[in-house]
Amino acid sequence: MSTGNQRIAHALGVIELVVGEDERGSVEGKLTPQNMQQFGTDLGIGGFRGGIGLFKSNAETFRRNLVRAILLTQLSQGKLQSTQANNQRDSLLAMDTGQLERQLRNLFPYKPFRGRFAKRSEWEPRNFTDPWCHNNGNYMYVVHSIMGEASKVTEVMSRGASASELEAFNELRGKYMGYATIDAKNPMKKRLMVRFYEQYLGNPNILRHNIISSTVINQTKHATYYPFGFIMRVPPECIYITSSSDVGVANRTNDILGELESKQQMQQSKIRSPQKILANTTGHDSDTGYNEIVVVGTSPEGKQVDVTGIFVKTDGNGNIFMRNGALSKDTTGPYVNDEIQKLISKCARDFQIPIVPLADTSSGASTTPWPFGSLRGKTNAQLPGRARTKSI
């Protein structure tokens, strides 16, 4: 076996040991006679550093093969070009074994963990309502409610912040460019506030890159933390955790695997049916007592979540819902204000999805009429002329 092929074999062995057999297979399947020759060269590290004693260290051999495993994974996934391999290698060699193992795991999609997943089949999209055929008296959806306010992502001290803290702050600011503002109301701190509702309504497919905190609702139990959001078509492969109460999953964590593992352990790795979840959900309406269904936007099998509609709650009389529950910040006006209404309408037009009114009689008295038109007939404000028999 050539030296290059030996390096690749060592890297594949470490991938299987640290992450799993399927992950090794996913990398191995991307190897061809043509790229193996180049990859084998890219995995070269050179002599051991630190003297002869280190050369004989099994721990150091494993650490260096971890570096090779990360490089091979990034190269095979197209996340790293051969021209960048030298710089990346030097960066990885500065890390300890624990850091390298975490980095390797985070390169792979999350996968089902050990547990009983037989109930996943009951989450098939065919068991849920087509939002184009909504009936307030009989429906069942998986929804992701959306915060209609800017959310604090991070903060730094206005004075005395370290260079690394400022770098991390500016990195996040750049990541959310166009949706972020700096709140300097507190003279001691700078807070980075992000309008995720703008980002999501501008492109619902962004959910495919996230862990999604969602809720299963029907006509009798429709408590959601926020009174508008996405209706989703969720392949059963994307259902990871089902709970009749809030599990507090972190949607935008950098450690996806760790977050899923932690929350799955809390729920004993069991998938419960939608009916079982709804039966044990305590909240009927408003913004408390909702259940939580943890969904991955893209499964390891390549299945992806689709946004098939936008729900907006009404007061039961056709007017926009007044969010006045125990956790509400504003009881003087509708949560779905003029700005959000415009964003919802544009999203519906751009992505050809319906806007669905969900009656919630816990609303306070509302005088803001429904602004979006009807799901049916010529008054459909989003998609005039579209057939209403679309199947999901």
Side-chain angles (χ1 to χ4, degrees):
M1 183 183 293
S2 69
T3 301
N5 285 347
Q6 285 180 335
R7 294 168 181 161
I8 290 174
H10 290 318
L12 290 171
V14 168
I15 292 169
E16 181 174 350
L17 177 65
V18 174
V19 191
E21 184 178 350
D22 291 341
E23 284 72 15
R24 171 186 173 140
S26 71
V27 172
E28 208 163 10
K30 293 180 172 64
L31 300 180
T32 66
Q34 292 74 26
N35 65 27
M36 282 182 68
Q37 183 174 358
Q38 180 61 57
F39 291 172
T41 300
D42 295 334
L43 300 188
I45 292 178
F48 281 87
R49 302 173 184 179
I52 295 176
L54 189 58
F55 179 82
K56 297 178 180 179
S57 165
N58 289 333
E60 177 63 8
T61 298
F62 178 67
R63 190 180 76 89
R64 290 158 67 88
N65 283 331
L66 272 169
V67 171
R68 291 191 172 103
I70 293 169
L71 290 171
L72 180 61
T73 302
Q74 291 176 326
L75 289 163
S76 68
Q77 292 176 346
K79 296 178 179 178
L80 181 72
Q81 302 302 314
S82 290
T83 54
Q84 303 167 316
N86 286 336
N87 289 338
Q88 176 70 336
R89 183 189 308 113
D90 290 342
S91 175
L92 293 171
L93 284 169
M95 298 182 185
D96 62 33
T97 298
Q99 291 172 316
L100 291 169
E101 287 184 347
R102 287 192 293 273
Q103 182 149 340
L104 180 60
R105 290 192 184 98
N106 285 334
L107 286 172
F108 292 93
Y110 20 80
K111 64 178 183 177
F113 300 100
R114 291 182 179 88
R116 302 190 62 81
F117 293 92
K119 291 295 182 183
R120 267 201 174 127
S121 62
E122 298 188 32
W123 291 87
E124 285 280 359
R126 64 173 176 269
N127 296 323
F128 292 82
T129 305
D130 178 350
W132 281 106
C133 303
H134 176 74
N135 178 347
N136 251 324
N138 185 20
Y139 64 83
M140 185 167 69
Y141 299 122
V142 177
V143 301
H144 171 65
S145 66
I146 298 175
M147 181 179 182
E149 307 161 60
S151 174
K152 186 187 82 171
V153 172
T154 188
E155 64 183 16
V156 294
M157 299 302 294
S158 298
R159 295 181 181 179
S162 68
S164 60
E165 289 172 335
L166 289 173
E167 182 180 0
F169 183 90
N170 288 325
E171 183 178 344
L172 283 172
R173 185 181 181 185
K175 178 180 179 180
Y176 296 115
M177 185 68 67
Y179 309 105
T181 56
I182 295 177
D183 180 2
K185 291 178 182 178
N186 183 343
M188 303 296 293
K189 296 179 180 179
K190 293 193 298 184
R191 291 183 174 181
L192 185 67
M193 308 296 293
V194 178
R195 301 179 300 280
F196 287 108
Y197 63 94
E198 284 189 23
Q199 185 185 36
Y200 282 21
L201 290 169
N203 180 13
N205 291 332
I206 200 168
L207 289 183
R208 293 175 177 173
H209 304 288
N210 293 349
I211 299 176
I212 309 168
S213 174
S214 63
T215 302
V216 59
I217 61 172
N218 65 7
Q219 66 278 5
T220 59
K221 292 189 176 179
H222 40 257
T224 57
Y225 190 75
Y226 299 110
F228 82 100
F230 292 138
I231 298 172
M232 302 185 299
R233 180 189 185 277
V234 183
E237 294 87 347
C238 294
I239 300 287
Y240 267 61
I241 299 169
T242 60
S243 172
S244 292
S245 59
D246 191 344
V247 299
V249 72
N251 300 83
R252 289 176 285 273
T253 177
N254 289 326
D255 186 6
I256 292 175
L257 283 169
E259 181 68 10
L260 289 174
E261 284 177 333
S262 170
K263 296 302 186 289
Q264 276 206 326
Q265 287 172 4
M266 290 170 54
Q267 298 301 316
Q268 301 175 336
S269 293
K270 291 181 180 178
I271 297 294
R272 299 162 179 84
S273 70
Q275 291 73 21
K276 182 73 170 178
I277 293 297
L278 284 165
N280 293 319
T281 298
T282 59
H284 292 265
D285 48 29
S286 195
D287 56 7
T288 57
Y290 47 84
N291 58 66
E292 184 166 7
I293 312 302
V294 178
V295 171
V296 295
T298 302
S299 76
E301 301 88 349
K303 301 291 186 179
Q304 292 187 312
V305 167
D306 289 312
V307 171
T308 57
I310 302 171
F311 79 89
V312 179
K313 285 190 174 182
T314 71
D315 64 354
N317 293 314
N319 294 324
I320 294 290
F321 182 86
M322 295 286 291
R323 187 171 188 253
N324 60 345
L327 302 179
S328 180
K329 295 179 181 179
D330 181 10
T331 61
T332 62
Y335 195 77
V336 179
N337 56 33
D338 290 344
E339 177 198 7
I340 298 173
Q341 290 173 25
K342 291 174 183 176
L343 291 171
I344 287 173
S345 292
K346 186 177 187 303
C347 180
R349 289 193 302 270
D350 290 349
F351 293 90
Q352 298 193 344
I353 53 179
I355 302 171
V356 177
L358 293 185
D360 187 331
T361 56
S362 69
S363 171
S366 173
T367 58
T368 304
W370 178 259
F372 302 114
S374 170
L375 274 170
R376 299 177 178 82
K378 296 180 180 179
T379 59
N380 186 319
Q382 292 78 54
L383 300 173
R386 182 187 174 103
R388 305 295 183 259
T389 58
K390 180 176 180 292
S391 173
I392 62 170

